[in-house]
Amino acid sequence: MSDFDDFEQGSTTRVPAPVTGLRLPSVDLVVVEGKDRGKRVTVQASLSRIGTAGNCDLVLTDPTVSRMHCELRVRAGTMTVKDHGSTNGTYVGGARIRDADVPAGTVLRVGATSIRVDVGDAPSFVEVSPRTSFGELVGASLPMRQLYAVLERVAPMDTTLLVTGETGTGKDVVARSVHAMSRRNAGSYVPIDCGAIPEALFESELFGHMRGAFSGATSDRRGVFEEADGGTLFLDEIGEMPLALQAKLLRAIETRTVRRVGGNTAKRVDVRIVAATNRDLARRVNEGTFREDLYYRLAVVEVSLPSLRERPEDVPLLAQHFYDKLSPGAGPLPQDFLRLLASRSFPGNVRELRNFIERSVSLGFVSPHGPPSAPPPSVERPHAELDDLVPLHLPLKDARQAWTERFEEVYLRAMLKKTGGNVTRAAELAGVSRRFLQRLAARLGIRASDEGA
Ligand SMILES: Nc1ncnc2c1ncn2[C@@H]1O[C@H](COP(=O)(O)OP(=O)(O)OP(=O)(O)O)[C@@H](O)[C@H]1O
């Protein structure tokens, strides 16, 4: 049991309960060696940042420490240290770490500085919402209810929000839900995928252009800032934005004005910005590929979405939610299907879970009529049209993942069939390691012995 366990709120279990708060330990960061020796800060928040940048919680002057060197995150019962790609690394007990759980009392070495991390005696109180959903977001786990408590507070305001989290954890859903729950919901919600725009078109996409501004600009056109006037602009994959454009974006956010490419007047826009990334933006700041000032401008409030691994108790709830949407009135999911879900991992998070449910329903593996059949059978449809195979009813990212999974499944089954279920030979044929193939089979719910038969 770690020292942090003492601070987990007394009677709350991981099962959703109508609690309204969670006591988290404050963290004392004490510099025990290096240029800033003797410096000490108490952080009463679940996230503490260490680095030489002025906005860090522990600001160091040691030149061997990076701007945003590393962070400490306290969640119920655990403390995690994550290095943001610092130049000189973060070490615990002589070992370089990237992302690791550490106990209280740990001494972290960052550059030429050593910091002891203690549990403070001024616990902070983190709000937990009693909700089990927020807008389109579904989930009743503690981390989700902590998130709802923050969203409830910030959604009605115009606060700029940075949403981080692994792929498929629901960052788009957060942005949409925040817009829907804001007083701007009569205005437009305009999403833009910064990772999908060619660099040459970026400025015109954001700010618009005037006719004749460049070849191909045959008429005046509004950019997304103007389209979102009075509403919300969702800048997805913000980590992919080219450096040169970041300065222009920053100016637009600070001045709340935009100037179309080829135009000479600035127009005022009233836009709320929500940005999202699955990248470690602090790492990008250290690498010099993301502007630090833009980072702080966007992260006025930063919310981090938990992966599905961190909230397995949400899997049945989400599964039922997707099932209800696919088969209205079909009733509860069968217990053995729920057991199958519990035994499976979803590295693609909620997106992968949703696709899995959809595939299972379309293949008849779960159905309101009668008991489930064997694990999802492979349906060979060699003559199907491409349009039939591509799940056109899904958003692009969901469809792409569903397609990839379907491809992996067909491919893997074929390899196993060819080799009579021999995993080693199938891996050789596929040019991957045996372990990789086994992991893939487990993830897709394929049993090698069934395929070879
Ligand atoms: N908490 C949730 N409740 C209901 N549906 C969810 C939730 N989280 C994600 N989804 C669904 O999962 C899919 C992926 O979600 P979303 O596109 O928001 O993920 P993302 O974090 O933005 O992923 P990426 O980083 O790849 O853009 C969508 O179909 C979305 O509706």
Side-chain angles (χ1 to χ4, degrees):
M1 186 172 164
S2 82
D3 296 352
F4 283 87
D5 288 344
D6 298 342
F7 286 86
E8 210 172 344
Q9 56 175 81
S11 60
T12 307
T13 64
R14 291 183 64 81
V15 177
V19 291
T20 54
L22 180 68
R23 225 155 54 97
L24 281 183
S26 60
V27 173
D28 281 352
L29 301 171
V30 188
V31 181
V32 290
E33 198 184 324
K35 216 165 158 244
D36 302 289
R37 191 170 165 198
K39 188 165 189 174
R40 159 194 290 263
V41 291
T42 297
V43 185
Q44 281 181 287
S46 53
L47 180 70
S48 351
R49 290 222 153 98
I50 299 172
T52 55
N55 288 46
C56 288
D57 299 286
L58 177 61
V59 182
L60 297 169
T61 57
D62 177 352
T64 61
V65 172
S66 295
R67 302 277 305 155
M68 298 169 92
H69 200 101
C70 63
E71 67 176 36
L72 282 150
R73 195 176 282 278
V74 180
R75 287 210 165 114
T78 53
M79 181 168 69
T80 311
V81 179
K82 182 172 170 184
D83 180 84
H84 290 305
S86 62
T87 310
N88 293 311
T90 301
Y91 290 80
V92 174
R96 188 167 185 162
I97 54 161
R98 285 186 62 185
D99 202 334
D101 288 353
V102 294
T106 294
V107 174
L108 297 176
R109 190 161 183 87
V110 295
T113 296
S114 296
I115 303 154
R116 199 180 59 239
V117 183
D118 288 330
V119 171
D121 48 15
S124 54
F125 193 70
V126 178
E127 275 180 81
V128 176
S129 168
R131 289 168 179 269
T132 54
S133 66
F134 179 89
E136 293 172 46
L137 284 169
V138 173
S141 59
L142 216 45
M144 287 307 280
R145 288 160 61 212
Q146 271 176 257
L147 174 75
Y148 302 154
V150 177
L151 296 181
E152 274 164 20
R153 248 181 302 121
V154 299
M157 305 187 301
D158 284 343
T159 322
T160 303
L161 199 63
L162 176 65
V163 190
T164 60
E166 292 176 17
T167 184
T169 46
K171 297 182 292 295
D172 290 45
V173 189
V174 168
R176 278 202 305 274
S177 303
V178 162
H179 173 71
M181 308 292 257
S182 76
R183 56 178 178 220
R184 301 177 157 263
N185 57 13
S188 305
Y189 171 74
V190 182
I192 176 171
D193 183 346
C194 301
I197 305 168
E199 191 162 345
L201 295 181
F202 229 120
E203 193 172 352
S204 144
E205 283 291 322
L206 284 184
F207 309 124
H209 61 247
M210 303 305 286
R211 183 169 168 226
F214 47 86
S215 63
T218 50
S219 56
D220 293 356
R221 192 172 162 239
R222 294 191 306 169
V224 287
F225 264 91
E226 283 184 63
E227 279 176 31
D229 197 8
T232 305
L233 175 59
F234 176 47
L235 300 168
D236 199 6
E237 317 285 3
I238 188 76
E240 311 305 316
M241 182 169 277
L243 204 49
L245 245 287
Q246 292 175 20
K248 294 187 172 165
L249 173 65
L250 181 65
R251 197 167 333 114
I253 298 176
E254 280 178 340
T255 61
R256 301 274 153 187
T257 58
V258 290
R259 189 191 298 270
R260 291 187 187 180
V261 179
N264 31 23
T265 48
K267 183 173 188 293
R268 269 206 95 67
V269 281
D270 166 29
V271 168
R272 189 225 193 123
I273 291 182
V274 181
T277 181
N278 52 26
R279 304 272 184 173
D280 179 352
L281 274 194
R283 170 182 281 260
R284 300 219 140 192
V285 169
N286 286 332
E287 290 165 355
T289 52
F290 201 84
R291 290 182 67 113
E292 191 177 328
D293 44 10
L294 178 59
Y295 172 79
Y296 288 120
R297 184 55 75 171
L298 295 171
V300 175
V301 172
E302 181 171 344
V303 292
S304 142
L305 279 175
S307 67
L308 211 45
R309 288 185 304 287
E310 295 165 86
R311 48 187 186 111
E313 61 273 45
D314 278 342
V315 170
L317 193 72
L318 283 160
Q320 187 67 50
H321 166 71
F322 295 130
Y323 186 52
D324 291 344
K325 276 173 87 173
L326 288 166
S327 322
L333 278 165
Q335 283 302 319
D336 46 0
F337 185 70
L338 292 174
R339 273 195 293 278
L340 172 75
L341 291 180
S343 69
R344 199 181 180 282
S345 63
F346 295 95
N349 292 298
V350 187
R351 176 177 295 122
E352 186 172 341
L353 173 65
R354 175 184 150 158
N355 286 342
F356 186 79
I357 304 292
E358 204 158 292
R359 206 152 43 109
S360 302
V361 170
S362 68
L363 297 178
F365 177 47
V366 270
S367 107
H369 321 292
S373 55
S378 137
V379 179
E380 301 304 338
R381 295 192 299 168
H383 303 298
E385 291 292 325
L386 201 57
D387 285 7
D388 292 343
L389 295 174
V390 177
L392 297 174
H393 62 291
L394 292 179
L396 175 69
K397 285 180 186 170
D398 296 356
R400 191 187 291 137
Q401 184 177 337
W403 171 264
T404 306
E405 275 187 13
R406 179 80 186 109
F407 158 78
E408 286 172 341
E409 187 189 335
V410 171
Y411 184 88
L412 194 58
R413 285 188 198 277
M415 289 300 129
L416 289 167
K417 200 164 186 177
K418 248 189 195 174
T419 58
N422 183 322
V423 175
T424 309
R425 284 206 43 229
E428 273 166 20
L429 279 183
V432 296
S433 72
R434 189 184 142 85
R435 250 188 92 211
F436 178 86
L437 190 129
Q438 279 171 322
R439 272 208 307 265
L440 184 62
R443 180 155 68 76
L444 296 169
I446 296 174
R447 273 213 306 258
S449 50
D450 291 348
E451 298 308 313

